[in-house]
Amino acid sequence: MTQTLHLFVLLTVLISSAVSDPLADNFLRCLSQNPNVTNTDFVFTQNNSEYSSILESTIANLKYSTPTTPKPLAVITPLTYSHVQSAILCSKHLKFQIRIRSGGHDSAGLSYTSSYQSPFVVLDLRELRSVTIESGQNTAWVETGATLGELYYWVPQESPNLGFPAGTCPTVGVGGHISGGGFGMKMRKYGLAADNVIDAMIVDANGKILDRKSMGEDLFWAIRGGGGGSFGVVVAWKVNLVYVPEKISAFTLSKTIEEGGSNLFNKWQYISHNVSRDLFIRVRIQPVLNESGNRTIEVTFNSMFLGNVDKLMETITNGFPELGLQEKDCSEMSWIETVLYFDNYTVGRSIDVLKETNPLPKSYSIGKSDYVKEPIPEEKLEEIWKWCLEGDWPIIVMEPHGGKMHEIDDTIIAYPHRKGYLYNVHYTESWEDDNIEASEKHISWMRKLYEKMTPYVAKNPRAAYVNYRDLDLGENDNVDNESYLNAMKLGNKYFGDNFRRLALVKGVVDPDNFFFFEQSIPPLIMCEEKSDIGSC
C-alpha cells in the first residue's frame, strides 16, 4: 500500500510538471522573440523547480506566503536592462499585470502578490545590484536590486569620510526604500535617501530607458518619494554621498516605566526635533518582563551622533540632561560600524556580512504608521502604555524629524511630511502561530490600537508613510474602475497635497495605467475643458 501511494505521488508530480501553463508559455514565447533575449533562463515559471525558492526567498511576512496566497505566473530575474524592457512589453502585450520587487521587505506583500483575478508576473530585480562609486565626485550609481547593506559596504571603500543617509536595516532593497523617501539616522542632518538622488534610470510603460534628462523633471520628481511601482521600473539611482566624521558615537539606553521611562519619553517629544542635527535619538516602546517577572513597558533610546563621545556628552548635557547618559553608556566607531550596531542581526560581525544575501527572518506580522504634530499630553501616556500591554509583543518605533527635514519644502520631492511634523510612528507586531485565530487576534489588536491613537496624531488627513504600506487605508478596485477621486482619500494620507501632482504625472507617463496595483497612483488626465475627473 505504501509503495502504491509513493508511486501515485511520484506520477502526480511528474504529470503536473509536464503540464505547461499556456499563459506562461505565451509569455516565454513573447520574450524569446526579442533579439536582445538569447535565452529565458532568467524566467522561472511555476513548473520550474526553482520557482518556489526564488519567489519565497525574500518574503519576510508569512502572512503573504500561504498556500492560498495568489502566485505569479512567473518570477523574472532580469540580468540586463533589455530583459526589463522585454518583460514590460510582453506583459503589456499579453495584458498581464506586473509586480516589481527589489528587497522583499514590502510589509503588505504588494511587490510579489495580487488580490485581483488577472494573471500577473513578478519582476524581481535581485540580479541588478551593482554599486559604482564615482571616484572624486562623491557620487555613486546603485542598481535597484542592491541592498542598503551592499551600498553601505562599498561607499567607505572610496573614503571613510563618505556615507549615505538611508535606513538602518541592511537587507532592505535600495529601490523600494528610495522610492518611498527613505528614513535614516542621518535624516535630520542630510534629509531622506530620496533627497540625495540626483539622477535615475527608469524603464517606462513603453519599454524605453530614460535618464533624468530624457524622463523630464516631473517624472524625476515623482519617483523620489512617490512610492515604487506606479510610474515604471527604476533600474538604477545616482546618489550624492555625504560627509561623515571618522568617529561617530552611539548609545542605547533603556528605562522601564517604573524607572522613569514615561517621563523621559515625554521630554523626548519636546527636544528630539530641536537638538543639534548631528544628534538623532529614536525611541522604541515595547513590553518586557521586569525583575519580578511581570509585564511592563520599556522605553529604549537608540541614538547616533555625528561626532566623538565628548561632543555627544556635551550635546546631551545641554539638551537632554534628564536622560542621565553617562560616558560608559556610549561607544565610538566608524560610520560603517554603526550600520552593524543598529541592525539586530549583524551586531558584532564583520562588515563583510553587509554583502551577503542571506534569507530574511520570517514571521507573521502587521504594521501601521502615523505622524505626530503636537506632543502627546503627558497625562495620556499611561493609558497608551496600557493599550500596548494588551498586545502580545508589539514594538512601536518613533523617529524624530526637525533639522534638515524641516528645512526642505514639502513639494521639492513627492515625500510630503516635512515642516510641522515632530516625529513619525511605526507600529508593528509579529507572531509565529500559523493558524487563522492567531492572525485575527493580532490584526484585531493592531487595528484597535491604531483607532485609539487617533486623537494624538496628525489629522485631516491622518498621515501615513508609503514605505509602511497599509492595506487598511484603502485599495484600488481594479484597473478598469480605478479613478483619481476614489483614490484621493488614500493618496492624501501618503502624499498630502502632492497626490494630485503625482496623478497628473501618472496621466502623462502611463495613461493606460499599465503599472497598476492595490495602492498605485491613478492617472489623472486633464481634458480640454480642464475636468479633474481623471478620464476624458
Side-chain angles (χ1 to χ4, degrees):
M1 180 66 179
T2 302
Q3 290 180 335
T4 303
L5 179 60
H6 286 170
L7 180 61
F8 174 77
V9 171
L10 177 62
L11 287 172
T12 302
V13 171
L14 290 174
I15 292 170
S16 63
S17 63
V19 176
S20 60
D21 186 329
L23 292 177
D25 288 347
N26 288 341
F27 187 75
L28 290 171
R29 191 175 301 111
C30 178
L31 287 175
S32 61
Q33 290 174 353
N34 189 310
N36 292 319
V37 178
T38 56
N39 63 66
T40 56
D41 292 345
F42 60 93
V43 182
F44 302 87
T45 64
Q46 293 184 7
N47 287 327
N48 191 295
S49 60
E50 296 180 75
Y51 170 86
S52 294
S53 61
I54 289 175
L55 175 63
E56 296 169 7
S57 61
T58 59
I59 296 178
N61 191 349
L62 294 175
K63 191 153 70 81
Y64 301 105
S65 183
T66 70
T68 59
T69 301
K71 304 294 192 296
L73 287 174
V75 180
I76 306 148
T77 59
L79 307 176
T80 66
Y81 296 167
S82 63
H83 289 169
V84 177
Q85 294 173 286
S86 299
I88 290 173
L89 292 174
C90 287
S91 296
K92 193 174 183 180
H93 172 69
L94 296 169
K95 294 181 168 51
F96 293 170
Q97 292 185 4
I98 196 166
R99 297 292 183 266
I100 307 162
R101 181 165 76 173
S102 53
H105 277 258
D106 181 358
S107 56
L110 300 184
S111 64
Y112 51 83
T113 187
S114 173
S115 61
Y116 306 111
Q117 298 300 315
S118 304
F120 71 101
V121 297
V122 168
L123 189 62
D124 188 320
L125 303 175
R126 66 177 64 202
E127 300 296 337
L128 300 177
R129 60 188 323 118
S130 70
V131 178
T132 305
I133 310 298
E134 299 188 313
S135 183
Q137 299 183 47
N138 294 349
T139 57
W141 274 101
V142 54
E143 289 187 318
T144 288
T147 63
L148 292 180
E150 289 173 303
L151 175 59
Y152 293 160
Y153 176 87
W154 290 109
V155 169
Q157 307 299 318
E158 171 72 10
S159 167
N161 292 120
L162 288 177
F164 185 68
T168 58
C169 183
T171 56
V172 164
V174 165
H177 187 69
I178 292 178
S179 294
F183 290 156
M185 299 194 83
K186 293 187 289 298
M187 68 181 182
R188 299 190 64 251
K189 179 78 170 183
Y190 294 115
L192 303 170
D195 291 323
N196 292 276
V197 172
I198 56 175
D199 203 345
M201 300 287 288
I202 187 172
V203 184
D204 70 5
N206 296 315
K208 295 181 179 179
I209 300 177
L210 309 171
D211 62 6
R212 178 175 182 172
K213 182 178 180 180
S214 55
M215 78 174 76
E217 288 303 300
D218 283 339
L219 180 52
F220 184 62
W221 172 87
I223 62 176
R224 292 174 295 153
S230 288
F231 302 98
V233 180
V234 179
V235 290
W237 308 84
K238 185 177 183 179
V239 298
N240 269 329
L241 305 178
V242 302
Y243 170 79
V244 293
E246 291 187 11
K247 289 298 181 182
I248 289 177
S249 303
F251 70 83
T252 300
L253 192 64
S254 299
K255 299 287 185 180
T256 64
I257 299 304
E258 294 79 9
E259 294 169 334
S262 188
N263 294 335
L264 291 175
F265 172 76
N266 183 60
K267 177 69 175 180
W268 173 89
Q269 292 189 101
Y270 290 88
I271 64 94
S272 60
H273 60 284
N274 282 324
V275 294
S276 165
R277 63 186 58 195
D278 289 330
L279 178 63
F280 187 91
I281 309 176
R282 68 180 179 186
V283 167
R284 185 175 69 244
I285 309 289
Q286 64 186 115
V288 296
L289 296 178
N290 61 21
E291 293 181 355
S292 303
N294 299 317
R295 278 165 59 91
T296 186
I297 290 296
E298 182 179 73
V299 181
T300 298
F301 299 90
N302 200 216
S303 177
M304 184 176 78
F305 179 74
L306 297 173
N308 60 34
V309 169
D310 289 342
K311 187 63 176 177
L312 166 62
M313 291 301 300
E314 178 184 335
T315 303
I316 291 290
T317 300
N318 292 335
F320 197 3
E322 297 86 351
L323 189 59
L325 186 70
Q326 300 180 41
E327 190 170 330
K328 65 180 178 62
D329 301 319
C330 309
S331 301
E332 276 186 3
M333 60 195 79
S334 66
W335 170 69
I336 192 63
E337 290 171 329
T338 69
V339 176
L340 304 182
Y341 177 88
F342 290 113
D343 177 46
N344 293 333
Y345 303 107
T346 56
V347 172
R349 298 178 65 181
S350 163
I351 63 170
D352 290 339
V353 72
L354 299 176
K355 296 186 295 181
E356 297 177 5
T357 55
N358 295 323
L360 301 174
K362 297 179 185 290
S363 65
Y364 297 87
S365 64
I366 184 172
K368 292 183 176 293
S369 64
D370 265 321
Y371 287 82
V372 174
K373 286 188 167 184
E374 299 288 340
I376 299 171
E378 185 173 13
E379 63 272 16
K380 299 296 184 180
L381 294 178
E382 183 177 354
E383 188 175 20
I384 293 174
W385 309 147
K386 288 180 180 178
W387 297 339
C388 291
L389 289 171
E390 292 172 1
D392 282 357
W393 301 105
I395 297 176
I396 302 177
V397 176
M398 287 92 157
E399 296 183 298
H401 283 36
K404 190 73 170 180
M405 290 294 290
H406 282 184
E407 291 178 357
I408 299 175
D409 189 85
D410 57 11
T411 62
I412 292 296
I413 66 172
Y415 177 90
H417 310 303
R418 305 282 191 173
K419 190 173 182 179
Y421 292 91
L422 304 183
Y423 58 91
N424 70 281
V425 185
H426 188 202
Y427 317 88
T428 61
E429 184 164 45
S430 301
W431 63 97
E432 302 298 329
D433 296 336
D434 61 356
N435 60 73
I436 296 175
E437 292 78 12
S439 292
E440 289 178 345
K441 170 191 169 185
H442 291 283
I443 293 170
S444 175
W445 175 84
M446 179 63 76
R447 287 170 174 166
K448 288 178 182 177
L449 175 66
Y450 183 75
E451 183 63 29
K452 289 176 179 178
M453 288 296 294
T454 302
Y456 312 117
V457 298
K459 303 172 181 63
N460 302 317
R462 183 171 183 174
Y465 180 35
V466 70
N467 272 359
Y468 301 149
R469 292 277 187 187
D470 182 357
L471 293 177
D472 284 345
L473 299 181
E475 297 184 43
N476 298 319
D477 289 337
N478 58 61
V479 69
D480 297 318
N481 292 334
E482 185 190 27
S483 74
Y484 172 73
L485 292 178
N486 291 338
M488 276 183 63
K489 185 177 180 181
L490 167 65
N492 288 340
K493 290 177 182 291
Y494 285 143
F495 307 112
D497 292 340
N498 289 340
F499 177 62
R500 186 175 187 277
R501 183 179 174 188
L502 285 167
L504 286 169
V505 173
K506 173 79 167 183
V508 172
V509 303
D510 186 19
D512 297 327
N513 207 13
F514 170 68
F515 291 107
F516 167 85
F517 61 94
E518 287 79 354
Q519 291 192 340
S520 58
I521 305 291
L524 176 58
I525 300 171
M526 299 298 290
C527 307
E528 291 183 4
E529 61 270 22
K530 305 298 182 184
S531 167
D532 283 1
I533 60 174
S535 60
C536 298

